[in-house]
Amino acid sequence: MWLTNSSVGRKLVMSISGIFLVLFLTFHMSMNLVAIISADAYNAVCGFLGSNWYAVAGTAVLVAGVLVHFVMAAVLTAQNKNARPVKYEVSSKTDVEWSSKNMFVLGLVIIGILCFHLIHFWAKMMLPELIGSEDMIKETAAIVAQSGLECKEVEATQNGAALIRFTFSQWWVCLIYLAWLCALWFHLTHGIWSALHTVGMNNKVWMSRIKCISMIFATIICLGFAAVVVFGYCSNL
């Protein structure tokens, strides 16, 4: 198949899956910012999503998007390395050049800490409901109780505000998340404009504009997530 057998096709698949993941990050960041405004409103959003069929389907699509993006990135990285076994000498590098040369490494860091993130939230919210584990639900309820926010045990897995407060109560956890967001920022600043370039927005007039838009958009996304981390930590002071 052309999309998977050719370099151009693989780049197109990786770009489209990357754009999809950026849209998800935008939604997820916007949703998380609700926690800063109102814990009740954020919990209402968590309750709406829960383990309903559309949330499960969305999670499956998201996992597929991450896998496709990662696999294509791995294939293209290996292909480029085999085509150019000896690296070119570079006299100077800018931040953007550094990120473009380390996209795969940044991606590995992002995926690694993503697993850390899933353990903190998805494994304590959606997973217990999906498998119907009373022990896991009780564990989440105990965490909610430690956060200082009252909640019925049956509603514990939908109390995302309490989990945010508990998760970011430890400074070292906050540092890991902030480091994750730094890696994500570098990845997005190059990835967004590169994806748009691949799908056709590559004329000279728009190239510099796309790079600027990518920088701004990546900054907004990462600052939005960072604000939630800082808010969670400060709420425990």
Side-chain angles (χ1 to χ4, degrees):
M1 186 177 178
W2 174 75
L3 286 176
T4 56
N5 293 334
S6 68
S7 296
V8 175
R10 290 169 186 151
K11 288 181 181 178
L12 182 60
V13 172
M14 188 173 70
S15 296
I16 294 174
S17 61
I19 292 172
F20 163 72
L21 294 175
V22 169
L23 292 176
F24 169 78
L25 284 172
T26 305
F27 163 76
H28 193 35
M29 180 270 295
S30 302
M31 186 185 89
N32 283 1
L33 287 176
V34 175
I36 297 178
I37 301 171
S38 169
D40 290 337
Y42 182 69
N43 289 338
V45 175
C46 294
F48 173 74
L49 293 175
S51 60
N52 298 300
W53 69 268
Y54 44 82
V56 175
T59 301
V61 172
L62 177 62
V63 171
V66 172
L67 288 175
V68 169
H69 191 72
F70 179 77
V71 170
M72 289 301 169
V75 171
L76 287 169
T77 299
Q79 180 180 307
N80 291 338
K81 186 176 181 179
N82 291 333
R84 192 179 61 195
V86 179
K87 294 183 178 180
Y88 296 133
E89 183 178 352
V90 180
S91 58
S92 63
K93 298 181 180 180
T94 63
D95 289 340
V96 175
E97 290 175 342
W98 180 87
S99 63
S100 68
K101 294 177 183 298
N102 293 277
M103 288 294 282
F104 188 70
V105 174
L106 289 169
L108 288 176
V109 173
I110 292 169
I111 290 179
I113 305 181
L114 175 61
C115 296
F116 188 62
H117 176 65
L118 291 176
I119 292 172
H120 281 150
F121 293 95
W122 183 82
K124 291 180 175 60
M125 297 178 75
M126 183 181 286
L127 182 59
E129 291 187 6
L130 281 177
I131 64 178
S133 173
E134 293 185 3
D135 290 338
M136 293 179 70
I137 292 175
K138 288 181 179 180
E139 182 182 346
T140 301
I143 291 174
V144 170
Q146 291 182 56
S147 72
L149 299 178
E150 295 183 2
C151 177
K152 296 179 181 179
E153 183 176 301
V154 70
E155 299 173 346
T157 56
Q158 298 174 2
N159 200 323
L163 285 175
I164 287 176
R165 183 171 178 173
F166 175 79
T167 301
F168 300 126
S169 62
Q170 298 175 295
W171 64 268
W172 63 271
V173 174
C174 295
L175 287 182
I176 290 176
Y177 271 87
L178 292 176
W180 179 29
L181 292 174
C182 287
L184 180 64
W185 184 85
F186 279 108
H187 196 78
L188 290 178
T189 52
H190 176 75
I192 294 175
W193 80 259
S194 179
L196 294 176
H197 178 276
T198 300
V199 298
M201 299 180 67
N202 53 10
N203 60 70
K204 293 181 179 180
V205 175
W206 274 97
M207 183 57 66
S208 59
R209 296 176 183 176
I210 291 173
K211 287 185 177 182
C212 181
I213 292 171
S214 300
M215 187 80 67
I216 294 172
F217 201 71
T219 302
I220 291 174
I221 289 177
C222 293
L223 284 180
F225 281 120
V228 177
V229 174
V230 174
F231 168 78
Y233 181 76
C234 291
S235 66
N236 289 281
L237 297 178

